[in-house]
Amino acid sequence: MKPYLAAAIQMTSKPDLEKNLIEAEELIELAVRKGAELVGLPENFAFLGQEADKLAQATVIAQRTEKFLKTMAQRFQITILGGGFPVPVVEDASKAYNTALLVNPSGQEQVRYQKIHLFDVDVPDGNTYRESSTVMAGVNLPSIYHSEDLGNIGISICYDVRFPELYRHLSNKGADILFIPAAFTAFTGKDHWQVLLQARAIENTCYVIAPAQTGNHYERRYTHGHAMIIDPWGVILADAGHQPGVAIAEINPERLQQVRQQMPSLQHRVFV
Ligand SMILES: O=C(O)CNC(=O)[C@H](CS)NC(=O)CCC(=O)C(=O)O
């Protein structure tokens, strides 16, 4: 593993695939110009709209998005995570998997993760979320991407951040970097987002890269923003604030080793 720059992209995705991919490309290009070699896009970067509309367009979204990620990776010679887009379930036309895809600079798919924990929550601001009405829950724990240059990368999506056992699994498997791409609601995000991300970083002594959605997407759907990168001590290295943009920070193996020496909590685990 070498020191390198990573980018957590922040977007205001809309119910418009082509428009979102254009915005995503601009932000990837910005991240690459700043030197990023590992780039993450947020959950729903390709399409953020009504569940029914997303499902109706899922076949096209999946095809376009997979091709887009491979093209971006090859063109800019980066490793890229597409942080959650619908891929139709073959056996059930009423469902899609909320899928995150990690692609290497050769344009090859390295990890495919289907979101395990679905957001079925009545948020106290009056919005109701029933992700499971159109999304099939994944049942497989994500595999780690072992990269000689970039380190061991673990993947998750959004609401997963509330389930620390998933991240314990990833750190047990050797993760150095945890991706947590999200579309966190504005209401839950203001109190929970940063705390949860810092907790996952600190308890696993891992870098956290958290691409995010921000602002108003359609009707009353608002997300929290604050795409960020956090170091293994829990320090926030970069925070994208409220506007679309990029949070960029260095991922440094010496810092990782230093924190793991200073705080060897992973070695003191008793139960898992
Ligand atoms: O809002 C949208 O339409 C897009 N969001 C999503 O697709 C997903 C599933 S509904 N959002 C979350 O998981 C939010 C989790 C969260 O906010 C929390 O855990 O508090």
Side-chain angles (χ1 to χ4, degrees):
M1 188 176 171
K2 60 171 191 183
Y4 63 93
L5 295 179
I9 286 179
Q10 178 154 291
M11 297 177 64
T12 305
S13 295
K14 306 274 181 184
D16 184 335
L17 173 66
E18 296 305 326
K19 206 160 162 260
N20 294 333
L21 294 185
I22 288 169
E23 190 191 351
E25 182 170 344
E26 284 171 5
L27 291 168
I28 293 165
E29 205 169 346
L30 176 65
V32 169
R33 262 191 277 132
K34 292 185 174 189
E37 294 180 57
L38 178 64
V39 175
L41 292 160
E43 188 186 30
N44 298 316
F45 69 96
F47 189 92
L48 206 159
Q50 303 280 7
E51 291 288 329
D53 295 340
K54 188 167 73 179
L55 192 65
Q57 298 178 44
T59 304
V60 179
I61 297 172
Q63 283 170 358
R64 285 280 289 126
T65 302
E66 289 185 25
K67 188 155 180 291
F68 173 81
L69 292 170
K70 290 171 183 173
T71 303
M72 291 298 110
Q74 279 185 298
R75 182 183 304 163
F76 295 116
Q77 288 299 294
I78 51 172
T79 298
I80 188 164
L81 179 82
F85 58 93
V87 176
V89 177
V90 179
E91 318 82 57
D92 183 350
S94 69
K95 297 274 167 68
Y97 287 112
N98 188 345
T99 307
L101 204 61
L102 187 77
V103 178
N104 73 8
S106 310
Q108 288 159 331
E109 176 179 327
Q110 298 297 312
V111 181
R112 177 175 292 252
Y113 167 63
Q114 295 162 336
K115 189 182 188 188
I116 293 171
H117 304 98
L118 303 184
F119 191 54
D120 289 350
V121 177
D122 299 324
V123 176
D125 66 356
N127 279 304
T128 292
Y129 298 82
R130 285 289 172 274
E131 190 176 16
S132 67
S133 67
T134 55
V135 175
M136 180 82 86
V139 291
N140 297 313
L141 287 161
S143 55
I144 302 276
Y145 174 54
H146 301 279
S147 162
E148 198 155 320
D149 284 341
L150 307 182
N152 301 323
I153 301 174
I155 289 170
S156 63
I157 304 177
C158 197
Y159 186 52
D160 283 332
V161 74
R162 294 181 184 273
F163 301 86
E165 60 274 21
L166 174 60
Y167 302 89
R168 209 44 150 190
H169 166 81
L170 293 171
S171 59
N172 273 331
K173 294 285 179 193
D176 304 313
I177 296 142
L178 303 169
F179 258 120
I180 312 180
F184 237 65
T185 75
F187 188 88
T188 55
K190 68 184 183 336
D191 300 318
H192 297 171
W193 170 246
Q194 188 180 312
V195 183
L196 288 167
L197 294 175
Q198 285 178 303
R200 298 298 85 84
I202 294 166
E203 72 200 0
N204 296 295
T205 49
C206 283
Y207 280 96
V208 164
I209 303 175
Q213 291 285 351
T214 191
N216 180 235
H217 305 279
Y218 63 98
E219 295 172 14
R220 286 187 301 128
R221 226 43 182 272
Y222 290 86
T223 53
H224 175 65
H226 292 284
M228 55 177 72
I229 299 182
I230 302 175
D231 89 353
W233 188 260
V235 174
I236 293 166
L237 301 178
D239 178 340
H242 285 292
Q243 298 302 320
V246 194
I248 293 198
E250 187 183 61
I251 306 296
N252 188 315
E254 281 175 27
R255 174 67 175 155
L256 187 68
Q257 209 187 0
Q258 180 193 45
V259 169
R260 288 180 173 182
Q261 266 164 12
Q262 290 171 341
M263 182 52 66
S265 59
L266 280 183
Q267 292 173 39
H268 299 155
R269 283 171 287 179
V270 175
F271 297 109
V272 277

